C-alpha cells in the first residue's frame, strides 16, 4: 500500500522530499547537522505505517470528492471552504502524529499555524484544488517524522553516555 | 445542522432513541433510576456539538460512498470490509467521545467490543449496507452521552453533599 | 473544587486573567471586538470542567513534588529539566484542549512553541520554580477557551444567518 | 531507563509475563497459534518506547505518593479512591496505546471494563496498595502490544499474499 500512498500524494502535488524539507526547517535550529536524507528517511518510515497510510488515503479521497462535487451538503461546503470549525482534517492528521507520541503535537500545531514550505503552497490553493485535508496530513506526517528523529537522536545520545560510563560491556 | 445530522442517521437506520437505549443499558447497573428520557436528552446534547456533527456527517458519507463504489481502491475495500486495521472509523468516533473527557473511552471500547443494541444490528449488516463508520460513531455518541450523565450526576451529588455540610448558604 | 484549582494556580503565579490575556492575544487578529471579559468568562468555563481541574491539580502536584525533591529518579530529573521528550506534560494539557474538540490543538501547539504572555514567564523559570507541567496546562486552558469562543461565535453567526433567511419564526 | 521501568513494575507486583498473559487472553480467539513468547516480545517492545516509560513512571509515582499520603487534597482522595471521574489514569494509559494507533483503543476499553488477569488483581487492591494508575497502565501496555501483534501479522499476511500473486520476485 505504501506505493499507492506515495502516488496519491504525488497526484495531489506533494513529494516525500517536500515533506522532508518541512522537517528539516522545523528541526534545523535544534540539530544543525541534520541532512535532508535523514529527514526523508524518517518521512518514509512514517508513511510505512498502516494507520498513517489509511489516514492519508481517507483525507485525500475526501478532498477529491469535495472537489468533484460528490460529497453531500452540508459536508461539501465545510470541506471545500476549509471551515476552521470543521476539525476532522486535524483529527486525521493527529492520528498520524500520535504514532510517535505527544511530543510531535507541538510541532503539528506550529506547522498548522505557520504553514512552512509545501503546507503553505497547498493552503493557498494555487492549483485551484481542495486541500483541506492534505495540508494538515502533510503537517501531521512532518511532525511525526520530526518527533521520530528527536527520539532516535536522544536514544543514540543516551547510548553514547552509557557506554562512556560503563565501558565496553554496555556497547 | 442538527436536523440534518438526525436525518442522515435516520436514513441509515438509526434513531436517537436507539442510541439512548444503548446508554441506558451501559449505565443501568450504575444508576438504577436512569430513565430513557434522561439518556435521550444527553444524546441530544452530544449531537448538538458541532464537532460531533461533522464527525457523523463525514463518517456516514464515507460509508455511503463505499457502498456506491465511489471510493477509489484500496480505500474502498478497507471501508467495505470494515478491516480491523483500518482504524479511521475509531478515530472519528473518539473525536466525539473525547468531547466529554477520557472517562468515556472505556465505555467506547466496551461498546465497540460487545456491540450492544443498535450497534450490533449495524455491525451484522442485516440491511446489506456498509456501516463501518456508523457503528463506531453510534458507540462514540453513546459513550459521550454516558460520560456526560456520569459527570452531571456527580456534580449534583457534590452540590447536595456541600449543602448538607455547609448549610443553606451553599445552595 | 473550582476554588481550589484557582488557589493552586495563584500559588504558582498564575491568575485566570493572565490566561485570558493569552486567549485575547491568540484570537485578537481574528475577532477584533474580543474583550478581556469575554476571554476571562471562557477561561472560567474551561476551569469549571472536572477533567480540566484534575489535569491541573495533577500537573501542579508533579511540578511541586519535583521542586521539593519528592519524585524518585529518573522521573525527578525528567520533570525538573523539562526534557523535550518527557511528553506527559503535553498529554495532560491536551486532555484539557480536547474537551473543546480538535480545533484547539493548533492553538495549543502554537502557544507551546511561541510561549505568549504568562506561558513565557513560567517557561523562563524566573521564580526559580519547576513549571514543566504548568506552562503546558496554561497553554491547554487558553487553547480550550479560544476554541470555545470560536465555536460560540460561529453558532451565533449561524443563528443570525438563519433568522435572516427564515424570518422571525427562527429567532 | 527500560530496566528501571521493569523494576518499578515488579516492585508494584507486575511482571512483564503477567502483561503478556493478558495479551494472549485478549487475542487468543483471533490468533489460535499465538504463543506467550510472541506476546512477551511485543510487551517488551512497547516498554522500550520512551513515552511508554515516562507514562509508567509518572503513574506509578502518583500511586505511591497517594499511598504514602504525599499528595495534597483533593488530589489525594481522587487518586486513593480511584474516582471514576478522575480520568487522568486513563489519559496516561492511552498515551501508551495511541503509540500503535487507534485500533488498540477498543482493546483498552474492553480490558478496563473486564479487568482480565493481573488487571483484576490490581483493581481488587488485594495487597492494600493504591493502584489507580497501574491497572490502567497495564491495560494500556497490553492493548498496545496486542495492536502491535495485529499490525505485524497483517503485514506478514499481506507480504505472503503479494508473493503468491507476484511470484518469487516479490519474496
Amino acid at each position: 500500500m505504501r506505493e499507492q500512498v506515495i502516488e496519491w500524494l504525488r497526484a495531489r502535488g506533494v513529494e516525500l522530499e517536500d515533506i522532508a524539507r518541512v522537517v528539516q526547517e522545523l528541526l534545523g535550529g535544534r540539530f544543525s547537522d541534520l541532512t535532508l536524507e535523514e529527514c526523508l528517511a524518517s518521512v518514509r518510515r512514517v508513511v510505512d505505517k498502516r494507520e498513517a497510510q489509511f489516514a492519508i488515503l481517507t483525507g485525500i479521497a475526501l478532498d477529491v470528492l469535495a472537489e468533484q462535487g460528490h460529497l453531500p451538503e452540508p459536508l461539501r461546503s465545510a470541506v471545500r471552504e476549509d471551515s476552521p470549525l470543521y476539525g476532522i482534517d486535524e483529527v486525521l492528521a493527529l492520528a498520524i502524529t500520535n504514532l510517535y507520541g505527544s511530543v510531535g503535537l507541538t510541532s503539528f500545531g506550529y506547522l498548522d499555524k505557520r504553514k512552512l514550505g509545501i503546507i503553505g503552497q497547498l493552503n493557498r490553493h494555487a492549483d485551484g484544488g481542495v486541500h483541506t485535508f492534505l495540508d494538515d496530513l502533510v503537517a501531521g506526517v512532518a511532525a511525526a517524522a520530526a518527533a521520530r528523529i528527536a527520539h532516535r537522536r536522544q536514544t543514540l545520545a543516551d547510548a553514547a553516555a552509557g557506554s562512556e560510563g560503563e565501558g565496553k560491556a554496555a556497547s
Side-chain angles (χ1 to χ4, degrees), chain A:
Chain A
M1 195 157 68
R2 194 235 280 222
E3 291 313 310
Q4 289 167 299
V5 169
I6 294 174
E7 277 171 40
W8 283 42
L9 285 168
R10 181 171 296 147
R12 302 295 293 173
V14 177
E15 301 284 339
L16 297 193
E17 285 76 8
D18 298 321
I19 310 180
R21 270 186 285 271
V22 173
V23 176
Q24 196 176 25
E25 189 172 346
L26 189 66
L27 290 178
R30 193 158 151 207
F31 304 120
S32 58
D33 64 330
L34 187 69
T35 63
L36 190 64
E37 283 65 36
E38 186 176 346
C39 296
L40 182 58
S42 196
V43 168
R44 284 187 185 284
R45 290 295 294 273
V46 174
V47 174
D48 270 348
K49 295 238 178 182
R50 191 178 287 109
E51 180 132 2
Q53 294 170 346
F54 278 132
I56 294 168
L57 296 179
T58 305
I60 291 180
L62 286 163
D63 277 347
V64 172
L65 290 161
E67 214 171 276
Q68 298 174 340
H70 289 331
L71 289 184
E73 287 296 353
L75 187 59
R76 182 181 167 189
S77 296
V79 176
R80 283 183 80 101
E81 295 161 16
D82 201 355
S83 157
L85 297 178
Y86 176 55
I88 307 301
D89 40 347
E90 279 90 4
V91 166
L92 289 202
L94 283 162
I96 300 173
T97 306
N98 271 331
L99 296 172
Y100 293 88
S102 62
V103 301
L105 294 173
T106 300
S107 302
F108 173 75
Y110 182 74
L111 287 176
D112 200 35
K113 192 102 173 181
R114 291 292 307 275
K115 306 200 179 298
L116 303 182
I118 183 78
I119 302 170
Q121 286 178 44
L122 292 169
N123 193 254
R124 282 191 299 276
H125 307 275
D127 61 357
V130 173
H131 300 303
T132 295
F133 279 89
L134 186 56
D135 62 349
D136 285 325
L137 291 166
V138 167
V141 171
R148 189 178 167 277
I149 288 169
H151 274 294
R152 285 177 64 83
R153 291 203 161 212
Q154 185 64 41
T155 301
L156 293 171
D158 288 349
S163 68
E164 275 177 44
E166 298 168 20
K168 282 185 178 171
S171 65

